[in-house]
Amino acid sequence: MIFRQLFDPVSSTYSYLLASRRGGEALVIDPVLDKVDRYLKLMEELDLRLVKAIDTHLHADHITGLGALRDRTRCVTVMGEQSKVDVVSMRVGDGDRLTVEGLDLEAFYTPGHTDDSYCFMFGDRIFTGDTLLIRGTGRTDFQNGDSRAQYESLQRLMRLPEETLVFPGHDYKGDTVSTIGEEKRFNPRLKVRNAEEYSAMMESLHLPNPKMMDVAVPANMHQGLHQEEVARRGWAYSADEAKGLIGRADVALIDLREKAERGRAGAIPGSLHAPYADLQDNIGEGGLIHELALSGKTIVFYCAFGERSAMAVQAAQDKGLASARHIEGGMAAWRKARGETR
Ligand SMILES: [Fe+2]
């Protein structure tokens, strides 16, 4: 396994790079915009292909690298389903698995620091974002923070095996890793008897707002730009327009989502499943989508929110598949337009 803990000294943020092997697929957790060049160089050096970039929550203290990584690698951007960030390409809920080649992370919904906070468990370790820090916990006084909810989230983490490694989203003292057992014994924030005591302690902190907050929060809310550009070029159907495409012999509807997302939200009748991760093979010479386009069909991609499909349209157009289109807003827009699902 390849595992790197990367540090941004400006915001004291830890970002994590994970892959199962050299030459394989990689994912990044909590990337920082200013460090994107560094991540890309490292991935090039390790011969890794970035396929997913994840934020554990909406950050207030640094600008996320999600949008820049997506633009430069066409990776899928991931956050929790509670996130209000305008467009991320994939959302996870509690208990969902997050996969790349050879790796499988479990998503834990852990509200408290924010209402969109997640932790990600991977084998012997957990990435705790700002829910659990080393000898500390994330503040709960803004961004829909809730100290009682955080207490419950922390209780859940404390039920993990004691030897579980804790990799936090920040550290301000230079510590890099801890364990659940160590935090249970030595974390002063966990020396309370119940949610009321925790809440009273958190209220007594009176922390100043993070320096970057007024810049970072609005910037992090708006990560979706691809769809506007794709629409401007005339490569988009609205969900309403797309209803007229069902059952047409000259149209191939292509679902780019992962299997678990299809199971949860349903799919458009008659659509083919060709996950985004396999896109390059599918649109290349001899690939399924390439063949469909050659046979004269209009290719219409869709996904959960229109982000992956917008990137797929661009990639297919780059390969000369001039009939490639997508459904703007994806399944979210399709449902709003009361489109049929199966
Ligand atoms: Fe945070």
Side-chain angles (χ1 to χ4, degrees), residues 33-53:
L33 178 62
D34 289 345
K35 295 283 165 197
V36 160
D37 286 335
R38 171 68 189 129
Y39 309 144
L40 293 172
K41 175 133 192 298
L42 180 59
M43 284 186 271
E44 194 189 315
E45 288 163 351
L46 299 175
D47 190 23
L48 298 174
R49 188 164 67 85
L50 184 66
V51 297
K52 281 184 182 146

PDB file of all heavy atoms in Angstrom, residues 33-53:
ATOM      1  N   LEU A  33      -5.803  23.687  -1.726  1.00  0.00           N
ATOM      2  CA  LEU A  33      -5.589  24.276  -3.053  1.00  0.00           C
ATOM      3  C   LEU A  33      -4.123  24.639  -3.305  1.00  0.00           C
ATOM      4  O   LEU A  33      -3.568  24.296  -4.341  1.00  0.00           O
ATOM      5  CB  LEU A  33      -6.482  25.517  -3.217  1.00  0.00           C
ATOM      6  CG  LEU A  33      -6.328  26.252  -4.546  1.00  0.00           C
ATOM      7  CD1 LEU A  33      -6.709  25.356  -5.726  1.00  0.00           C
ATOM      8  CD2 LEU A  33      -7.162  27.525  -4.565  1.00  0.00           C
ATOM      9  N   ASP A  34      -3.495  25.301  -2.344  1.00  0.00           N
ATOM     10  CA  ASP A  34      -2.108  25.753  -2.535  1.00  0.00           C
ATOM     11  C   ASP A  34      -1.126  24.604  -2.740  1.00  0.00           C
ATOM     12  O   ASP A  34       0.000  24.818  -3.165  1.00  0.00           O
ATOM     13  CB  ASP A  34      -1.631  26.553  -1.308  1.00  0.00           C
ATOM     14  CG  ASP A  34      -2.318  27.907  -1.236  1.00  0.00           C
ATOM     15  OD1 ASP A  34      -2.905  28.322  -2.247  1.00  0.00           O
ATOM     16  OD2 ASP A  34      -2.274  28.529  -0.155  1.00  0.00           O
ATOM     17  N   LYS A  35      -1.521  23.413  -2.383  1.00  0.00           N
ATOM     18  CA  LYS A  35      -0.605  22.265  -2.452  1.00  0.00           C
ATOM     19  C   LYS A  35      -0.879  21.354  -3.640  1.00  0.00           C
ATOM     20  O   LYS A  35      -0.258  20.289  -3.757  1.00  0.00           O
ATOM     21  CB  LYS A  35      -0.724  21.435  -1.165  1.00  0.00           C
ATOM     22  CG  LYS A  35      -0.280  22.175   0.070  1.00  0.00           C
ATOM     23  CD  LYS A  35       1.230  22.217   0.141  1.00  0.00           C
ATOM     24  CE  LYS A  35       1.669  23.243   1.149  1.00  0.00           C
ATOM     25  NZ  LYS A  35       3.041  23.634   1.005  1.00  0.00           N
ATOM     26  N   VAL A  36      -1.810  21.753  -4.500  1.00  0.00           N
ATOM     27  CA  VAL A  36      -2.212  20.863  -5.590  1.00  0.00           C
ATOM     28  C   VAL A  36      -1.029  20.478  -6.480  1.00  0.00           C
ATOM     29  O   VAL A  36      -0.887  19.318  -6.884  1.00  0.00           O
ATOM     30  CB  VAL A  36      -3.380  21.501  -6.385  1.00  0.00           C
ATOM     31  CG1 VAL A  36      -3.509  20.904  -7.767  1.00  0.00           C
ATOM     32  CG2 VAL A  36      -4.683  21.312  -5.600  1.00  0.00           C
ATOM     33  N   ASP A  37      -0.166  21.441  -6.784  1.00  0.00           N
ATOM     34  CA  ASP A  37       1.001  21.124  -7.627  1.00  0.00           C
ATOM     35  C   ASP A  37       1.869  20.049  -6.972  1.00  0.00           C
ATOM     36  O   ASP A  37       2.381  19.151  -7.641  1.00  0.00           O
ATOM     37  CB  ASP A  37       1.860  22.366  -7.870  1.00  0.00           C
ATOM     38  CG  ASP A  37       1.193  23.307  -8.863  1.00  0.00           C
ATOM     39  OD1 ASP A  37       0.391  22.819  -9.680  1.00  0.00           O
ATOM     40  OD2 ASP A  37       1.463  24.520  -8.797  1.00  0.00           O
ATOM     41  N   ARG A  38       2.027  20.177  -5.664  1.00  0.00           N
ATOM     42  CA  ARG A  38       2.835  19.195  -4.928  1.00  0.00           C
ATOM     43  C   ARG A  38       2.215  17.793  -5.021  1.00  0.00           C
ATOM     44  O   ARG A  38       2.902  16.805  -5.256  1.00  0.00           O
ATOM     45  CB  ARG A  38       2.952  19.645  -3.457  1.00  0.00           C
ATOM     46  CG  ARG A  38       3.567  18.633  -2.527  1.00  0.00           C
ATOM     47  CD  ARG A  38       5.045  18.398  -2.826  1.00  0.00           C
ATOM     48  NE  ARG A  38       5.582  17.269  -2.081  1.00  0.00           N
ATOM     49  CZ  ARG A  38       6.264  16.274  -2.649  1.00  0.00           C
ATOM     50  NH1 ARG A  38       6.501  16.266  -3.940  1.00  0.00           N
ATOM     51  NH2 ARG A  38       6.731  15.301  -1.901  1.00  0.00           N
ATOM     52  N   TYR A  39       0.889  17.722  -4.834  1.00  0.00           N
ATOM     53  CA  TYR A  39       0.234  16.409  -4.913  1.00  0.00           C
ATOM     54  C   TYR A  39       0.414  15.795  -6.303  1.00  0.00           C
ATOM     55  O   TYR A  39       0.692  14.606  -6.442  1.00  0.00           O
ATOM     56  CB  TYR A  39      -1.284  16.489  -4.648  1.00  0.00           C
ATOM     57  CG  TYR A  39      -1.701  17.228  -3.398  1.00  0.00           C
ATOM     58  CD1 TYR A  39      -2.865  18.000  -3.396  1.00  0.00           C
ATOM     59  CD2 TYR A  39      -0.970  17.141  -2.220  1.00  0.00           C
ATOM     60  CE1 TYR A  39      -3.284  18.673  -2.261  1.00  0.00           C
ATOM     61  CE2 TYR A  39      -1.379  17.829  -1.078  1.00  0.00           C
ATOM     62  CZ  TYR A  39      -2.535  18.592  -1.112  1.00  0.00           C
ATOM     63  OH  TYR A  39      -2.947  19.264   0.005  1.00  0.00           O
ATOM     64  N   LEU A  40       0.239  16.632  -7.323  1.00  0.00           N
ATOM     65  CA  LEU A  40       0.311  16.099  -8.690  1.00  0.00           C
ATOM     66  C   LEU A  40       1.720  15.606  -9.006  1.00  0.00           C
ATOM     67  O   LEU A  40       1.894  14.569  -9.641  1.00  0.00           O
ATOM     68  CB  LEU A  40      -0.148  17.165  -9.695  1.00  0.00           C
ATOM     69  CG  LEU A  40      -1.636  17.525  -9.594  1.00  0.00           C
ATOM     70  CD1 LEU A  40      -1.963  18.720 -10.480  1.00  0.00           C
ATOM     71  CD2 LEU A  40      -2.527  16.335  -9.970  1.00  0.00           C
ATOM     72  N   LYS A  41       2.708  16.347  -8.527  1.00  0.00           N
ATOM     73  CA  LYS A  41       4.094  15.940  -8.762  1.00  0.00           C
ATOM     74  C   LYS A  41       4.366  14.611  -8.061  1.00  0.00           C
ATOM     75  O   LYS A  41       4.957  13.692  -8.652  1.00  0.00           O
ATOM     76  CB  LYS A  41       5.028  17.032  -8.229  1.00  0.00           C
ATOM     77  CG  LYS A  41       6.495  16.712  -8.299  1.00  0.00           C
ATOM     78  CD  LYS A  41       7.264  17.898  -8.873  1.00  0.00           C
ATOM     79  CE  LYS A  41       8.694  17.539  -9.248  1.00  0.00           C
ATOM     80  NZ  LYS A  41       9.486  17.100  -8.091  1.00  0.00           N
ATOM     81  N   LEU A  42       3.923  14.516  -6.813  1.00  0.00           N
ATOM     82  CA  LEU A  42       4.133  13.287  -6.045  1.00  0.00           C
ATOM     83  C   LEU A  42       3.454  12.100  -6.730  1.00  0.00           C
ATOM     84  O   LEU A  42       4.024  11.011  -6.838  1.00  0.00           O
ATOM     85  CB  LEU A  42       3.588  13.469  -4.625  1.00  0.00           C
ATOM     86  CG  LEU A  42       3.716  12.280  -3.677  1.00  0.00           C
ATOM     87  CD1 LEU A  42       5.178  11.873  -3.488  1.00  0.00           C
ATOM     88  CD2 LEU A  42       3.078  12.599  -2.318  1.00  0.00           C
ATOM     89  N   MET A  43       2.242  12.323  -7.217  1.00  0.00           N
ATOM     90  CA  MET A  43       1.541  11.225  -7.885  1.00  0.00           C
ATOM     91  C   MET A  43       2.235  10.821  -9.179  1.00  0.00           C
ATOM     92  O   MET A  43       2.250   9.649  -9.532  1.00  0.00           O
ATOM     93  CB  MET A  43       0.080  11.598  -8.120  1.00  0.00           C
ATOM     94  CG  MET A  43      -0.715  11.514  -6.825  1.00  0.00           C
ATOM     95  SD  MET A  43      -2.472  11.757  -7.042  1.00  0.00           S
ATOM     96  CE  MET A  43      -2.570  13.525  -6.876  1.00  0.00           C
ATOM     97  N   GLU A  44       2.808  11.800  -9.835  1.00  0.00           N
ATOM     98  CA  GLU A  44       3.571  11.481 -11.045  1.00  0.00           C
ATOM     99  C   GLU A  44       4.810  10.655 -10.659  1.00  0.00           C
ATOM    100  O   GLU A  44       5.107   9.649 -11.296  1.00  0.00           O
ATOM    101  CB  GLU A  44       3.970  12.793 -11.716  1.00  0.00           C
ATOM    102  CG  GLU A  44       4.461  12.632 -13.136  1.00  0.00           C
ATOM    103  CD  GLU A  44       5.042  13.947 -13.642  1.00  0.00           C
ATOM    104  OE1 GLU A  44       4.407  15.005 -13.432  1.00  0.00           O
ATOM    105  OE2 GLU A  44       6.134  13.893 -14.231  1.00  0.00           O
ATOM    106  N   GLU A  45       5.491  11.078  -9.618  1.00  0.00           N
ATOM    107  CA  GLU A  45       6.690  10.363  -9.170  1.00  0.00           C
ATOM    108  C   GLU A  45       6.370   8.923  -8.759  1.00  0.00           C
ATOM    109  O   GLU A  45       7.157   8.014  -8.981  1.00  0.00           O
ATOM    110  CB  GLU A  45       7.341  11.117  -7.998  1.00  0.00           C
ATOM    111  CG  GLU A  45       8.012  12.405  -8.431  1.00  0.00           C
ATOM    112  CD  GLU A  45       8.296  13.369  -7.268  1.00  0.00           C
ATOM    113  OE1 GLU A  45       7.834  13.138  -6.135  1.00  0.00           O
ATOM    114  OE2 GLU A  45       8.978  14.368  -7.507  1.00  0.00           O
ATOM    115  N   LEU A  46       5.205   8.750  -8.135  1.00  0.00           N
ATOM    116  CA  LEU A  46       4.827   7.411  -7.669  1.00  0.00           C
ATOM    117  C   LEU A  46       4.022   6.655  -8.728  1.00  0.00           C
ATOM    118  O   LEU A  46       3.522   5.568  -8.466  1.00  0.00           O
ATOM    119  CB  LEU A  46       4.009   7.524  -6.378  1.00  0.00           C
ATOM    120  CG  LEU A  46       4.725   8.173  -5.188  1.00  0.00           C
ATOM    121  CD1 LEU A  46       3.789   8.331  -4.010  1.00  0.00           C
ATOM    122  CD2 LEU A  46       5.951   7.361  -4.791  1.00  0.00           C
ATOM    123  N   ASP A  47       3.861   7.273  -9.890  1.00  0.00           N
ATOM    124  CA  ASP A  47       3.139   6.650 -11.000  1.00  0.00           C
ATOM    125  C   ASP A  47       1.693   6.306 -10.609  1.00  0.00           C
ATOM    126  O   ASP A  47       1.231   5.186 -10.806  1.00  0.00           O
ATOM    127  CB  ASP A  47       3.903   5.389 -11.466  1.00  0.00           C
ATOM    128  CG  ASP A  47       3.340   4.830 -12.757  1.00  0.00           C
ATOM    129  OD1 ASP A  47       2.709   5.605 -13.503  1.00  0.00           O
ATOM    130  OD2 ASP A  47       3.518   3.618 -13.027  1.00  0.00           O
ATOM    131  N   LEU A  48       1.019   7.271 -10.006  1.00  0.00           N
ATOM    132  CA  LEU A  48      -0.360   7.051  -9.566  1.00  0.00           C
ATOM    133  C   LEU A  48      -1.324   7.886 -10.406  1.00  0.00           C
ATOM    134  O   LEU A  48      -0.970   8.953 -10.889  1.00  0.00           O
ATOM    135  CB  LEU A  48      -0.519   7.450  -8.091  1.00  0.00           C
ATOM    136  CG  LEU A  48       0.331   6.658  -7.098  1.00  0.00           C
ATOM    137  CD1 LEU A  48       0.187   7.251  -5.705  1.00  0.00           C
ATOM    138  CD2 LEU A  48      -0.064   5.184  -7.109  1.00  0.00           C
ATOM    139  N   ARG A  49      -2.528   7.367 -10.522  1.00  0.00           N
ATOM    140  CA  ARG A  49      -3.574   8.086 -11.255  1.00  0.00           C
ATOM    141  C   ARG A  49      -4.671   8.461 -10.255  1.00  0.00           C
ATOM    142  O   ARG A  49      -5.313   7.591  -9.668  1.00  0.00           O
ATOM    143  CB  ARG A  49      -4.145   7.179 -12.352  1.00  0.00           C
ATOM    144  CG  ARG A  49      -5.106   7.857 -13.305  1.00  0.00           C
ATOM    145  CD  ARG A  49      -5.298   7.004 -14.546  1.00  0.00           C
ATOM    146  NE  ARG A  49      -5.990   5.756 -14.252  1.00  0.00           N
ATOM    147  CZ  ARG A  49      -7.321   5.634 -14.207  1.00  0.00           C
ATOM    148  NH1 ARG A  49      -8.089   6.679 -14.440  1.00  0.00           N
ATOM    149  NH2 ARG A  49      -7.876   4.474 -13.930  1.00  0.00           N
ATOM    150  N   LEU A  50      -4.856   9.768 -10.075  1.00  0.00           N
ATOM    151  CA  LEU A  50      -5.863  10.210  -9.106  1.00  0.00           C
ATOM    152  C   LEU A  50      -7.264   9.971  -9.662  1.00  0.00           C
ATOM    153  O   LEU A  50      -7.589  10.447 -10.751  1.00  0.00           O
ATOM    154  CB  LEU A  50      -5.689  11.699  -8.801  1.00  0.00           C
ATOM    155  CG  LEU A  50      -6.638  12.232  -7.725  1.00  0.00           C
ATOM    156  CD1 LEU A  50      -6.337  11.624  -6.364  1.00  0.00           C
ATOM    157  CD2 LEU A  50      -6.592  13.750  -7.646  1.00  0.00           C
ATOM    158  N   VAL A  51      -8.088   9.239  -8.924  1.00  0.00           N
ATOM    159  CA  VAL A  51      -9.463   9.021  -9.389  1.00  0.00           C
ATOM    160  C   VAL A  51     -10.512   9.606  -8.454  1.00  0.00           C
ATOM    161  O   VAL A  51     -11.626   9.881  -8.875  1.00  0.00           O
ATOM    162  CB  VAL A  51      -9.773   7.533  -9.671  1.00  0.00           C
ATOM    163  CG1 VAL A  51      -8.906   7.000 -10.786  1.00  0.00           C
ATOM    164  CG2 VAL A  51      -9.636   6.681  -8.446  1.00  0.00           C
ATOM    165  N   LYS A  52     -10.148   9.828  -7.172  1.00  0.00           N
ATOM    166  CA  LYS A  52     -11.129  10.443  -6.269  1.00  0.00           C
ATOM    167  C   LYS A  52     -10.453  11.430  -5.330  1.00  0.00           C
ATOM    168  O   LYS A  52      -9.369  11.162  -4.818  1.00  0.00           O
ATOM    169  CB  LYS A  52     -11.859   9.382  -5.434  1.00  0.00           C
ATOM    170  CG  LYS A  52     -12.946   8.690  -6.243  1.00  0.00           C
ATOM    171  CD  LYS A  52     -13.756   7.702  -5.471  1.00  0.00           C
ATOM    172  CE  LYS A  52     -14.757   7.057  -6.437  1.00  0.00           C
ATOM    173  NZ  LYS A  52     -15.027   5.665  -6.130  1.00  0.00           N
ATOM    174  N   ALA A  53     -11.107  12.575  -5.127  1.00  0.00           N
ATOM    175  CA  ALA A  53     -10.652  13.568  -4.147  1.00  0.00           C
ATOM    176  C   ALA A  53     -11.818  13.837  -3.206  1.00  0.00           C
ATOM    177  O   ALA A  53     -12.923  14.120  -3.651  1.00  0.00           O
ATOM    178  CB  ALA A  53     -10.206  14.850  -4.843  1.00  0.00           C
TER     179      ALA A  53
END
